[in-house]
Amino acid sequence: MTLEPTRIRLARERVALSRSALAASLGVGERELAQAPEKLSTALAQTLGCAEQFFRLPATSGIDAERIFFRSPRRTSNAQKLAAAAAGRTGVELYRLITQTFHFPPTEVPELTGYNPADAAAQLRLDWDLGCGALPDVLHLLESHGVRVLSLPAELDAVKTFSFWEEGQAFIFLASGTSAAQRFALAHELGHLVLHSSLSRNGEQIAHAELEADQFAAHLLMPALSLQIRVSNLLQIPQLLTLEKHFGVPATVILAHARACGVLGESAYTWLCQEMLLEPVRNSAPETSRVFSLVFPSLQFDHRASTARIAQELGLTEQHIHELTFGQAFVLLTGENQQDPGESIRGHLHAL
């Protein structure tokens, strides 16, 4: 019996390891690796950081990297893109598994290709009945409209937040950072999802799409009307910091957007930017998922499936699941009294 070659490829791409490097680390030839026998499963699992079961699962592949919206596509290496694509497939499989037990809201991300960013942001606020004030928790808001949001493993932080469509579902992988930076990153990726689903991937269009996604995020989080009544050339640092807390957006982003909207002059903008350099870094709690805060406690409480059982079914380690779920998946220490979590059964709990 041979191991599934596409699973071996996905696992090594996830850790940015070439085929030749993997073969050398195992002490085998590339030809033998291509038709890996069962006896290599333990060594492969140890080298690639997954469970042996992973190589016995059905054939698969990473998400097509050409369909992923990367924050810095030109500065992201091909190996990093493949690693992100492999993580993306893992996230899709994780959600596919938990949706066998939980019902989630349908995807309600409108197609707004052809809109300018300001109009698209205004239309989305209308579609989602958001009014014109500061938005609530952006991650929870996205989840309530069917967007699947997962956390980016630490080794992929250099890739930054990215998004893609798969199987009719919108996915966002959120990198670490302050709450304000994460809110803006989520809004940026939402901009890609609503504006650029049919984008062709030449360099000039991608650069323009990144600019449009930033503009969309700024207009979505800080509507021009809200800025006009709060910002003027008399703005001072204490008021700016209050606005940062009010909108949940970094102060530098507020200043840039206020200047672009014409409510803050160039000299005031320059002075405030210089003053902000003297301000201490403000720490805030990172974003967390409402979906995972409901799913994993319920699975544990009802003894339907623990993190260990989910990891086993996906052929991953519990740490992988923990990293993808904002640290909200329970990782239990093995002990003498540990019980079998039991088989998964379909429930009727609505996560949102």
Side-chain angles (χ1 to χ4, degrees), residues 194-205:
V194 303
L195 289 171
H196 304 135
S197 60
S198 58
L199 180 71
S200 63
R201 296 311 174 106
N202 67 61
E204 184 176 338
Q205 285 197 350

Side-chain angles (χ1 to χ4, degrees), residues 185-234:
L186 287 169
H188 174 102
E189 296 306 323
L190 180 59
H192 281 312
L193 294 170
V194 303
L195 289 171
H196 304 135
S197 60
S198 58
L199 180 71
S200 63
R201 296 311 174 106
N202 67 61
E204 184 176 338
Q205 285 197 350
I206 290 175
H208 183 64
E210 287 299 308
L211 177 61
E212 284 192 331
D214 273 345
Q215 293 171 343
F216 171 90
H219 282 285
L220 180 67
L221 296 171
M222 301 169 286
L225 182 60
S226 290
L227 282 181
Q228 288 171 6
I229 62 177
R230 291 177 172 87
V231 177
S232 73
N233 288 329
L234 299 178

